[in-house]
Amino acid sequence: MKLLSLVSAATIVTLAGCSAGGMKSADENTNPMVGGAPMYASKNIIENAVNSKDHTTLVAAVKAAGLVETLQAPGPFTVFAPTNAAFDKLPEGAVANLLKPENKAALTKVLACHVVKADALSAAIKTMIDDDMGKHPVPTIGGCTLMATYMGDKIMLEDENGRVAHVTIADVKQSNGVIHVVDAVLLPKQ
């Protein structure tokens, strides 16, 4: 159960606080903007994620699963963070159902399928894919195994049900790992 909590917590996304004034800090310049907010490599996943307007559903899910403290832990974590639009692609009512207190275990499992106990930047992921002849298995903290591939600059992850998520923003560095924003929710094997 603790392992699932660790994984689920890591599933949260990355986004960060706003900078004061017109100058960007060196920390802010190293990361892309996510959800209209600067991301700071000196802040943890939670400190950044709460500022992304594109990840409010993920943040709510992390809170409902009780994973906030986990995602504030040292890690390192690689989190494949689904956007609000990714959650909207799920069947009608699925998100509301998962957020119910009685479904906390299922929610935690879903979130944990987006978290890897490592700090893997996109270049490292592509190298692993190349080393494995075009497809690399990615075991998550939640017990799911994702299959990573890439075409050009775009990394794709396929869950055990055949759902494919594309990394839309890669390499958002955090103090406790890295976030890769994805366009689909990856699900445990059914």
Side-chain angles (χ1 to χ4, degrees):
M1 190 67 169
K2 200 166 200 166
L3 180 61
L4 284 180
S5 293
L6 178 66
V7 173
S8 295
T11 243
I12 229 39
V13 49
T14 183
L15 289 67
C18 301
S19 62
M23 304 254 329
K24 289 186 175 185
S25 69
D27 186 38
E28 184 179 350
N29 285 327
T30 63
N31 269 331
M33 299 272 287
V34 178
M39 298 291 108
Y40 297 95
S42 63
K43 294 187 178 189
N44 68 47
I45 292 165
I46 295 297
E47 291 171 326
N48 278 318
V50 298
N51 294 310
S52 171
K53 68 179 181 185
D54 292 341
H55 291 91
T56 56
T57 303
L58 180 60
V59 169
V62 169
K63 289 178 181 178
L67 298 173
V68 171
E69 286 185 24
T70 300
L71 291 178
Q72 291 175 328
F77 302 113
T78 294
V79 176
F80 299 105
T83 60
N84 295 342
F87 280 100
D88 290 344
K89 291 178 187 177
L90 293 174
E92 188 175 332
V95 174
N97 192 47
L98 279 171
L99 292 175
K100 292 179 181 176
E102 62 268 23
N103 295 326
K104 184 176 179 178
L107 176 61
T108 299
K109 179 78 172 170
V110 168
L111 293 176
C113 284
H114 293 81
V115 179
V116 177
K117 184 83 170 112
D119 189 349
L121 295 172
S122 60
I125 295 170
K126 287 179 181 178
T127 297
M128 290 182 268
I129 293 168
D130 289 342
D131 290 347
D132 285 344
M133 310 301 252
K135 253 187 180 177
H136 180 71
V138 179
T140 67
I141 299 175
C144 304
T145 299
L146 308 175
M147 277 306 217
T149 58
Y150 74 91
M151 182 179 299
D153 285 351
K154 293 292 181 187
I155 294 174
M156 286 88 62
L157 300 154
E158 183 176 343
D159 69 17
E160 296 163 325
N161 302 297
R163 291 178 65 87
V164 177
H166 300 84
V167 174
T168 58
I169 302 174
D171 300 336
V172 186
K173 297 173 187 144
Q174 312 289 295
S175 65
N176 59 346
V178 62
I179 298 291
H180 301 290
V181 177
V182 295
D183 65 357
V185 176
L186 301 161
L187 300 171
K189 191 171 185 176
Q190 299 178 0

